Every structure is written in structure tokens, then in C-alpha cells.
Coordinates of all heavy atoms in Angstrom, one line a residue:
M1 N 3.6 8.0 38.5 CA 2.5 8.4 37.7 C 3.1 9.1 36.5 O 2.6 9.0 35.4 CB 1.6 9.4 38.5 CG 0.4 9.9 37.7 SD -0.7 8.5 37.5 CE -2.0 9.4 36.7
K2 N 4.2 9.9 36.7 CA 4.8 10.7 35.6 C 5.5 9.7 34.6 O 5.4 9.8 33.5 CB 6.0 11.6 36.1 CG 5.5 13.0 36.5 CD 6.7 13.8 36.9 CE 6.4 15.2 37.1 NZ 7.6 16.0 37.4
D3 N 6.0 8.6 35.2 CA 6.7 7.7 34.3 C 5.6 6.9 33.5 O 5.9 6.6 32.2 CB 7.4 6.6 35.1 CG 8.6 7.1 35.9 OD1 9.2 8.2 35.3 OD2 9.1 6.5 36.9
T4 N 4.5 6.7 33.9 CA 3.4 6.1 33.3 C 3.0 6.9 32.1 O 2.8 6.5 31.0 CB 2.2 5.7 34.2 OG1 2.8 4.7 35.2 CG2 1.2 4.9 33.4
L5 N 2.7 8.2 32.4 CA 2.3 9.1 31.3 C 3.3 9.3 30.2 O 3.0 9.3 29.1 CB 1.9 10.5 32.0 CG 0.7 10.5 32.9 CD1 0.5 11.8 33.5 CD2 -0.6 10.0 32.1
L6 N 4.6 9.3 30.7 CA 5.6 9.5 29.7 C 5.7 8.2 28.8 O 5.9 8.2 27.6 CB 6.9 9.7 30.4 CG 8.2 9.8 29.4 CD1 8.0 11.0 28.6 CD2 9.5 9.9 30.3
S7 N 5.6 7.0 29.4 CA 5.6 5.8 28.6 C 4.4 5.7 27.7 O 4.6 5.3 26.5 CB 5.6 4.6 29.6 OG 6.7 4.5 30.4
L8 N 3.2 6.2 28.1 CA 2.1 6.3 27.3 C 2.4 7.2 26.1 O 2.0 6.9 25.0 CB 0.8 6.6 28.1 CG -0.6 6.6 27.4 CD1 -0.8 5.1 26.9 CD2 -1.6 7.0 28.3
A9 N 2.8 8.3 26.4 CA 3.1 9.4 25.3 C 4.1 8.8 24.3 O 3.9 9.0 23.1 CB 3.6 10.7 26.0
V10 N 5.1 8.1 24.8 CA 6.1 7.5 23.8 C 5.4 6.5 23.0 O 5.7 6.4 21.8 CB 7.2 6.9 24.6 CG1 8.1 6.1 23.7 CG2 8.1 8.0 25.2
L11 N 4.7 5.6 23.6 CA 3.9 4.6 22.9 C 3.0 5.1 21.8 O 3.0 4.7 20.7 CB 3.1 3.7 23.9 CG 2.1 2.6 23.2 CD1 3.1 1.6 22.6 CD2 1.3 2.0 24.2
V12 N 2.2 6.2 22.2 CA 1.3 6.9 21.2 C 2.1 7.5 20.1 O 1.8 7.4 18.9 CB 0.4 7.9 22.0 CG1 -0.3 8.7 21.0 CG2 -0.5 7.1 22.8
G13 N 3.3 8.1 20.4 CA 4.1 8.8 19.4 C 4.7 7.7 18.4 O 4.7 7.9 17.2
I14 N 5.1 6.6 18.9 CA 5.7 5.6 18.0 C 4.6 5.0 17.1 O 4.8 4.8 15.9 CB 6.4 4.4 18.9 CG1 7.6 4.9 19.5 CG2 6.6 3.2 18.0 CD1 8.2 4.0 20.6
L15 N 3.4 4.7 17.7 CA 2.3 4.2 16.9 C 1.9 5.2 15.8 O 1.5 4.9 14.8 CB 1.1 3.7 17.8 CG 1.4 2.5 18.6 CD1 0.2 2.3 19.5 CD2 1.6 1.2 17.7
G16 N 1.8 6.4 16.2 CA 1.4 7.5 15.3 C 2.4 7.7 14.2 O 2.0 7.8 13.0
M17 N 3.8 7.6 14.4 CA 4.7 7.8 13.4 C 4.7 6.7 12.5 O 4.9 6.8 11.3 CB 6.2 8.0 14.1 CG 6.2 9.3 14.8 SD 6.0 10.7 13.7 CE 7.4 10.6 12.6
S18 N 4.5 5.5 13.1 CA 4.5 4.3 12.2 C 3.3 4.3 11.3 O 3.3 3.9 10.1 CB 4.6 2.9 13.0 OG 3.4 2.9 13.8
A19 N 2.2 4.8 11.7 CA 1.0 4.8 10.9 C 1.1 5.9 9.8 O 0.8 5.6 8.7 CB -0.3 5.3 11.7
L20 N 1.8 7.0 10.1 CA 2.1 8.1 9.1 C 3.0 7.5 8.1 O 2.9 7.7 6.9 CB 2.7 9.3 9.8 CG 1.6 10.1 10.5 CD1 2.4 11.2 11.3 CD2 0.6 10.6 9.7
F21 N 4.0 6.8 8.5 CA 5.0 6.3 7.6 C 4.4 5.2 6.6 O 4.6 5.3 5.4 CB 6.2 5.7 8.4 CG 7.2 5.0 7.4 CD1 8.1 5.7 6.7 CD2 7.2 3.6 7.3 CE1 9.0 5.1 5.8 CE2 8.1 3.0 6.4 CZ 9.1 3.8 5.6
T22 N 3.6 4.3 7.2 CA 2.9 3.3 6.4 C 2.1 4.0 5.3 O 2.0 3.6 4.2 CB 2.1 2.4 7.3 OG1 3.0 1.8 8.2 CG2 1.5 1.2 6.5
N23 N 1.3 4.9 5.8 CA 0.3 5.7 4.9 C 1.1 6.3 3.7 O 0.8 6.2 2.5 CB -0.5 6.7 5.6 CG -1.7 7.3 4.8 OD1 -1.8 7.0 3.7 ND2 -2.4 8.1 5.4
W24 N 2.2 7.1 4.1 CA 3.0 7.7 3.0 C 3.7 6.6 2.1 O 3.7 6.9 0.8 CB 4.3 8.4 3.8 CG 5.3 8.9 2.7 CD1 5.2 10.0 2.0 CD2 6.4 8.2 2.5 NE1 6.3 10.1 1.2 CE2 7.2 9.0 1.6 CE3 7.0 7.0 3.0 CZ2 8.4 8.6 1.0 CZ3 8.3 6.7 2.5 CH2 8.9 7.5 1.5
F25 N 4.1 5.6 2.6 CA 4.6 4.5 1.8 C 3.7 3.9 0.8 O 3.9 3.8 -0.4 CB 5.3 3.4 2.6 CG 6.0 2.3 1.9 CD1 7.2 2.4 1.5 CD2 5.3 1.1 1.6 CE1 7.9 1.4 0.7 CE2 5.9 0.1 0.9 CZ 7.2 0.2 0.4
A26 N 2.5 3.7 1.3 CA 1.5 3.1 0.4 C 1.1 4.1 -0.7 O 0.9 3.7 -1.9 CB 0.2 2.7 1.2
R27 N 1.0 5.3 -0.3 CA 0.6 6.3 -1.3 C 1.7 6.5 -2.4 O 1.4 6.8 -3.6 CB 0.4 7.8 -0.7 CG -1.0 7.9 -0.1 CD -1.2 9.4 0.3 NE 0.0 10.1 0.7 CZ 0.2 10.4 2.0 NH1 -0.6 10.0 2.9 NH2 1.3 11.1 2.2
T28 N 2.9 6.4 -2.1 CA 4.0 6.5 -3.1 C 4.3 5.3 -3.8 O 4.8 5.3 -4.9 CB 5.4 7.0 -2.3 OG1 5.7 5.9 -1.4 CG2 5.2 8.3 -1.7
M29 N 3.9 4.1 -3.4 CA 4.3 2.8 -4.1 C 3.1 2.3 -4.8 O 3.3 1.5 -5.7 CB 4.7 1.8 -3.0 CG 6.0 2.1 -2.3 SD 7.4 2.3 -3.5 CE 7.7 0.7 -4.0
Y30 N 1.9 2.7 -4.6 CA 0.7 2.1 -5.2 C -0.2 3.1 -5.8 O -0.3 4.2 -5.2 CB -0.1 1.2 -4.3 CG 0.7 0.1 -3.5 CD1 1.3 0.2 -2.3 CD2 1.0 -1.0 -4.3 CE1 2.0 -0.9 -1.8 CE2 1.7 -2.0 -3.9 CZ 2.2 -2.0 -2.5 OH 3.1 -3.0 -2.1
N31 N -1.0 2.8 -6.8 CA -2.1 3.5 -7.3 C -3.4 2.8 -7.1 O -3.4 1.5 -7.1 CB -2.0 3.7 -9.0 CG -0.8 4.7 -9.3 OD1 -0.6 5.6 -8.6 ND2 -0.3 4.4 -10.5
R32 N -4.5 3.5 -6.9 CA -5.7 2.9 -6.7 C -6.5 3.0 -7.9 O -6.6 4.1 -8.5 CB -6.5 3.5 -5.5 CG -7.7 2.9 -5.2 CD -8.4 3.4 -3.9 NE -7.6 3.1 -2.8 CZ -7.6 2.0 -2.0 NH1 -8.3 0.9 -2.4 NH2 -6.8 1.9 -0.9
C33 N -7.1 1.8 -8.4 CA -7.8 1.9 -9.6 C -9.1 2.6 -9.4 O -9.8 2.5 -8.4 CB -8.2 0.4 -10.0 SG -9.2 0.2 -11.5
D34 N -9.5 3.5 -10.3 CA -10.7 4.3 -10.3 C -11.9 3.5 -10.4 O -13.0 3.8 -9.9 CB -10.6 5.5 -11.3 CG -9.6 6.6 -11.0 OD1 -9.3 6.7 -9.8 OD2 -9.1 7.2 -11.9
A35 N -11.7 2.4 -11.3 CA -13.0 1.6 -11.6 C -13.4 0.6 -10.5 O -14.5 0.6 -10.1 CB -12.6 0.8 -12.9
C36 N -12.5 0.0 -9.8 CA -12.8 -1.1 -8.8 C -12.1 -0.8 -7.5 O -12.5 -1.5 -6.6 CB -12.3 -2.4 -9.4 SG -10.6 -2.8 -9.4
G37 N -11.2 0.1 -7.4 CA -10.5 0.4 -6.1 C -9.4 -0.5 -5.6 O -8.9 -0.3 -4.6
T38 N -9.0 -1.4 -6.5 CA -7.8 -2.1 -6.2 C -6.5 -1.5 -6.2 O -6.4 -0.6 -7.0 CB -7.8 -3.4 -7.2 OG1 -9.0 -4.1 -7.3 CG2 -6.7 -4.4 -6.9
L39 N -5.7 -1.9 -5.2 CA -4.3 -1.1 -5.1 C -3.4 -2.0 -6.2 O -3.5 -3.2 -6.3 CB -3.7 -1.4 -3.9 CG -4.3 -0.5 -2.7 CD1 -3.5 -0.8 -1.3 CD2 -4.1 1.0 -3.1
N40 N -2.7 -1.2 -7.0 CA -1.9 -1.6 -8.0 C -0.5 -1.0 -7.9 O -0.4 0.2 -7.5 CB -2.4 -1.3 -9.4 CG -3.7 -2.0 -9.6 OD1 -3.7 -3.3 -9.9 ND2 -4.8 -1.3 -9.6
A41 N 0.6 -1.7 -8.2 CA 1.9 -1.1 -8.2 C 2.0 0.0 -9.2 O 1.3 -0.1 -10.3 CB 3.0 -2.1 -8.6
R42 N 2.8 1.0 -8.9 CA 2.9 2.2 -9.8 C 3.5 1.8 -11.2 O 3.1 2.5 -12.1 CB 3.9 3.2 -9.2 CG 3.3 3.9 -8.0 CD 3.4 5.4 -8.3 NE 2.9 6.1 -7.1 CZ 2.0 7.0 -7.2 NH1 1.6 7.4 -8.4 NH2 1.6 7.6 -6.0
R43 N 4.2 0.7 -11.3 CA 4.7 0.3 -12.6 C 3.7 -0.2 -13.6 O 3.9 -0.4 -14.8 CB 5.8 -0.7 -12.4 CG 5.4 -2.0 -11.9 CD 6.6 -3.0 -11.8 NE 6.1 -4.2 -11.3 CZ 6.0 -4.7 -10.1 NH1 6.2 -3.8 -9.1 NH2 5.4 -5.9 -9.8
R44 N 2.5 -0.6 -13.1 CA 1.5 -1.3 -13.9 C 0.8 -0.3 -14.8 O 0.5 0.8 -14.4 CB 0.4 -2.0 -13.0 CG 1.0 -3.1 -12.3 CD -0.1 -3.9 -11.5 NE -1.0 -4.6 -12.5 CZ -0.8 -5.8 -12.9 NH1 0.3 -6.5 -12.4 NH2 -1.6 -6.4 -13.7
D45 N 0.4 -0.7 -16.0 CA -0.3 0.2 -16.9 C -1.8 0.0 -16.8 O -2.6 0.8 -17.2 CB 0.1 0.1 -18.4 CG 1.5 0.4 -18.6 OD1 2.1 1.3 -17.8 OD2 2.2 -0.1 -19.4
A46 N -2.2 -1.3 -16.4 CA -3.6 -1.7 -16.3 C -3.8 -2.3 -14.9 O -2.9 -2.9 -14.4 CB -3.9 -2.6 -17.4
C47 N -5.1 -2.2 -14.5 CA -5.5 -2.8 -13.2 C -5.3 -4.3 -13.2 O -5.7 -4.9 -14.2 CB -6.9 -2.4 -12.8 SG -7.6 -3.2 -11.3
R48 N -4.8 -4.8 -12.1 CA -4.5 -6.3 -12.1 C -5.8 -7.1 -11.8 O -5.9 -8.2 -12.1 CB -3.5 -6.7 -11.0 CG -3.9 -6.3 -9.6 CD -2.7 -6.5 -8.6 NE -3.0 -6.0 -7.3 CZ -3.7 -6.6 -6.4 NH1 -4.1 -7.9 -6.6 NH2 -3.9 -6.0 -5.2
S49 N -6.9 -6.4 -11.3 CA -8.2 -7.0 -11.1 C -9.1 -6.9 -12.2 O -9.6 -7.8 -12.7 CB -8.7 -6.4 -9.8 OG -10.0 -7.0 -9.5
C50 N -9.3 -5.6 -12.7 CA -10.4 -5.4 -13.7 C -9.8 -5.1 -15.1 O -10.5 -5.2 -16.1 CB -11.3 -4.4 -13.3 SG -10.6 -2.7 -13.2
G51 N -8.6 -4.8 -15.2 CA -7.9 -4.6 -16.4 C -8.1 -3.2 -17.0 O -7.7 -2.8 -18.1
A52 N -8.8 -2.3 -16.3 CA -8.9 -0.8 -16.6 C -7.6 -0.2 -16.7 O -6.7 -0.4 -15.8 CB -9.9 -0.2 -15.7
P53 N -7.3 0.7 -17.7 CA -6.2 1.5 -17.6 C -6.0 2.4 -16.4 O -6.9 2.9 -16.0 CB -6.2 2.3 -19.0 CG -7.7 2.2 -19.3 CD -8.3 1.2 -18.7
L54 N -4.7 2.5 -16.0 CA -4.4 3.3 -14.8 C -3.9 4.6 -15.3 O -3.2 4.7 -16.3 CB -3.4 2.5 -13.9 CG -3.9 1.3 -13.3 CD1 -2.9 0.6 -12.6 CD2 -5.1 1.6 -12.3
K55 N -4.0 5.7 -14.5 CA -3.5 7.0 -14.8 C -2.0 7.0 -14.6 O -1.4 6.4 -13.8 CB -4.1 8.0 -13.9 CG -5.6 8.2 -14.2 CD -6.2 9.2 -13.2 CE -7.7 9.3 -13.5 NZ -8.3 10.2 -12.6

């Protein structure tokens, strides 16, 4: 029973850390357009979908 709970805790920890890393990576690499909500690379000056200027 202890082994099962430990395995479950490790699994939840790995999934939680990967979710946090993915969220951090997306926030640092992409901007969200205020006009349409499309994700755009940080290097872009205008939205790739609607053409609105990005901050």
C-alpha cells in the first residue's frame, strides 16, 4: 500500500512540475493579442491573425 501511494505521489509530482514548466515556457515565449486572443511569438510586432499591434 505504501508503494502504491508513493508511486502515485511521484506521478502527481511529475505531472504537476511538467504543467508548471509548460505554463512558464508559454508565458516567456509568447504574447497574447489583446484584440483576438491569438498567441504570437515575442519577436512579432503585429498579431499574426488580426494584424493588431502587440505590446
Side-chain angles (χ1 to χ4, degrees):
M1 184 69 176
K2 274 186 174 181
D3 292 335
T4 304
L5 291 176
L6 181 60
S7 296
L8 186 60
V10 168
L11 176 67
V12 169
I14 290 171
L15 291 175
M17 291 302 292
S18 65
L20 289 174
F21 176 75
T22 302
N23 193 357
W24 169 81
F25 182 80
R27 279 194 326 259
T28 57
M29 296 301 289
Y30 299 102
N31 284 332
R32 188 170 295 276
C33 177
D34 292 333
C36 68
T38 302
L39 287 177
N40 294 282
R42 288 231 180 233
R43 68 179 183 274
R44 295 186 68 93
D45 294 330
C47 177
R48 62 187 171 88
S49 181
C50 69
L54 298 171
K55 295 179 184 177

